[in-house]
Amino acid sequence: MNLIEATNIEKRFGDLIVLRGISMHVAQGEVVAIIGPSGSGKSTFLRCLTQLETADRGEITICGKQMMHTENGSAVFADPKTLHEITLCAGLVFQNFNLFPHRSVLQNVTDAPVYVLKTPREEAEKQARVLLEKMNLADRADYYPCQLSGGQQQRVAIARALALNPRVLFFDEPTSALDPELTGEILKVIRQLADEHMTMVVVTHEMAFARDVADRVIFMDGGVIVEEGHPEDIFGAAQNERTRAFLSRFAE
């Protein structure tokens, strides 16, 4: 079963065409890494899938619910109730954490289940502590974001996304704001989620992660999908010259 289906997604900002008919799908339990040079449209595509941007044309279905389709050449979006249901089934982890600075770690993880899912606070806090333990942050529950390292903040952000029990997780370059030492902390967590068969779409510049963890790699450039396939095929025997040129900079 596909949890994500996107067909012919187009997006422009003024005269700049950013996405030129992108189509992709993600099966339940699959980890898809999206790679490519800066400005290739990776993050814009992710933002269209997560409702942070509105695509101009195409069709998007998330968790079996149609987010948008095209009528008479223009995008038509689902009703607010359906869009809200889609939001609940799809978690998003930002590259710059986006934690609430005035809320403790525990509160950052607890608030969404309490206010969005109407979970009793005591139950939500219990679940949050389980997630923080999973993130190796049990002893940081009463800390505030400013008291944490970047890697710790990003792990809190992942716990916060998981607190809503999403069926799919989106990551927008989750390690780009971290130094190399802290990057390893986050990649370890994502690997663990992959081992648990969490459905994930990861926009990343971490080629080793894409090669070793993803089930499928998509290479984007110029607003199109240039090539996609199994990591061994993309990293070891890419068919497109543009893909090979991009990956040659990361060869060990």
Side-chain angles (χ1 to χ4, degrees):
M1 174 185 175
N2 291 334
L3 291 190
I4 302 169
E5 295 183 355
T7 305
N8 295 327
I9 303 304
E10 298 180 10
K11 175 65 179 178
R12 67 168 63 221
F13 295 104
D15 295 330
L16 176 64
I17 302 175
V18 182
L19 301 177
R20 302 171 182 268
I22 297 287
S23 296
M24 68 164 285
H25 68 275
V26 181
Q28 183 171 337
E30 188 177 23
V31 179
V32 174
I34 303 178
I35 63 173
S38 297
S40 61
K42 307 184 303 296
S43 290
T44 298
F45 179 51
L46 197 72
R47 291 174 67 85
C48 287
L49 294 177
T50 56
Q51 304 183 54
L52 295 179
E53 295 285 357
T54 55
D56 297 322
R57 294 182 183 179
E59 296 183 5
I60 298 175
T61 299
I62 307 288
C63 300
K65 299 180 185 296
Q66 189 172 69
M67 178 194 302
M68 65 163 287
H69 66 283
T70 300
E71 287 185 10
N72 301 320
S74 299
V76 177
F77 284 82
D79 59 90
K81 180 178 181 293
T82 300
L83 293 178
H84 179 67
E85 291 172 349
I86 292 172
T87 299
L88 292 181
C89 85
L92 174 62
V93 178
F94 299 90
Q95 56 183 300
N96 291 317
F97 324 136
N98 284 19
L99 299 176
F100 296 114
H102 61 291
R103 307 291 279 170
S104 70
V105 166
L106 184 63
Q107 290 169 330
N108 264 279
V109 180
T110 302
D111 282 354
V114 170
Y115 295 114
V116 177
L117 299 181
K118 308 305 179 184
T119 304
R121 181 165 291 276
E122 182 177 354
E123 180 182 341
E125 288 188 358
K126 182 178 179 180
Q127 295 171 347
R129 290 186 187 278
V130 171
L131 288 170
L132 291 175
E133 178 71 33
K134 184 175 183 177
M135 298 294 138
N136 198 27
L137 291 170
D139 60 342
R140 296 294 190 271
D142 296 325
Y143 283 50
Y144 285 81
C146 65
Q147 298 174 296
L148 304 178
S149 69
Q152 290 171 332
Q153 290 186 60
Q154 190 61 294
R155 280 182 280 153
V156 173
I158 295 173
R160 180 180 61 182
L162 290 171
L164 290 175
N165 296 314
R167 298 180 65 190
V168 56
L169 271 183
F170 294 94
F171 292 85
D172 185 10
E173 299 185 9
T175 61
S176 66
L178 305 176
D179 63 43
E181 185 174 357
L182 297 179
T183 292
E185 298 179 11
I186 304 308
L187 297 182
K188 181 179 179 180
V189 170
I190 300 176
R191 284 189 176 95
Q192 179 183 350
L193 293 172
D195 290 340
E196 297 171 359
H197 305 292
M198 182 62 158
T199 306
M200 292 184 285
V201 177
V202 186
V203 170
T204 182
H205 289 295
E206 296 292 334
M207 296 300 106
F209 167 81
R211 179 191 62 202
D212 298 339
V213 178
D215 299 302
R216 184 156 45 96
V217 175
I218 292 174
F219 172 65
M220 287 182 61
D221 190 27
V224 301
I225 293 177
V226 175
E227 190 168 358
E228 67 177 297
H230 190 277
E232 290 184 2
D233 296 328
I234 297 298
F235 286 92
Q239 299 299 303
N240 189 279
E241 182 179 350
R242 180 67 186 95
T243 310
R244 293 196 297 270
F246 176 77
L247 292 176
S248 67
R249 295 178 294 160
F250 302 95
E252 297 179 347

